[in-house]
Amino acid sequence: MNVREQNWKNLCNNHVRDWHGIWTRYSPQGEVIESFQSLRHFQTNPEQTEVEQTNRYIYADGKTEEKSWEFNKQSNNLLNGLFHPQSESMRGLFFAQGAATWVEKKIETGSAFGVELFFRHEELRHSVGIVYDGIGSLRRTASVREDARGLPSKYWSAELNLLPERNLTGNWQGTSVTMTPDLKVSPPVPAQLEWPVSGNQTFFFPDGISLSCPGKVNVGTNFTIAANWLASDCHLQQITVNYDSNGALNSVTFEEFSLA
């Protein structure tokens, strides 16, 4: 199976369902901006050559909003990732395990951009969103806790405020796979947890989610965005996105760790 086929298959196998969630957006200082319910609905045609996504947002005041996109296997599934109709420069990269990212293929000076990192475990999904403004300053972050079984979730809490810290020390051992922008995935290699990224800001969201990202990014300097999910006391997943000094996407790494 070629890499384009595999990327599309990973999307269909892991994400085509109804994801009931709670979105919470935070300021660069970690303060809660807003929180609301969501439903991200995915469906395919019988041949699995088209995927339709509809996001429904239910706000605290009762207002609802919907946005829809259609992905076609022939026209949207490119050699450098899934093309997002909303953003010409954004690509979706999907791992066989279920982890995924929406990333900018190249950061341009003067243009705002965002990155979203997805974790998947059984009927649970979580994404971390990071948005930068046109001068490269962190504008906001977001935590989206989703459960395919509906809301309220037995797993996710109702807590919104960030935690002051999270203990991720210990002998975390596991495996690491890296995907390059041409969708090629490396064989798994042994890995040890490295956290946080030096020089980054760190945010500890509720329910075991942590983010390490730069407070400011500049074309001309390479940078790394990483997030992890403590899915249980002894199981942790981590996604790391690397950009080179030209602002181009260099790699996305997915790691799974157990506490030895």
Side-chain angles (χ1 to χ4, degrees), residues 120-163:
R120 166 79 198 279
H121 179 65
E122 297 177 350
E123 299 304 307
L124 299 172
R125 195 173 76 153
H126 182 277
S127 71
V128 179
I130 310 99
V131 178
Y132 290 89
D133 63 21
I135 60 171
S137 296
L138 183 64
R139 178 185 292 171
R140 67 172 182 267
T141 62
S143 168
V144 186
R145 294 170 282 182
E146 296 176 309
D147 193 326
R149 294 162 293 200
L151 292 178
S153 171
K154 294 181 179 179
Y155 180 87
W156 301 120
S157 73
E159 183 60 53
L160 301 181
N161 293 321
L162 296 182
L163 282 67

Side-chain angles (χ1 to χ4, degrees), residues 228-241:
N228 58 45
W229 175 24
L230 195 60
S232 70
D233 290 341
C234 57
H235 178 219
L236 183 140
Q237 301 179 10
Q238 182 160 297
I239 301 172
T240 304
V241 178

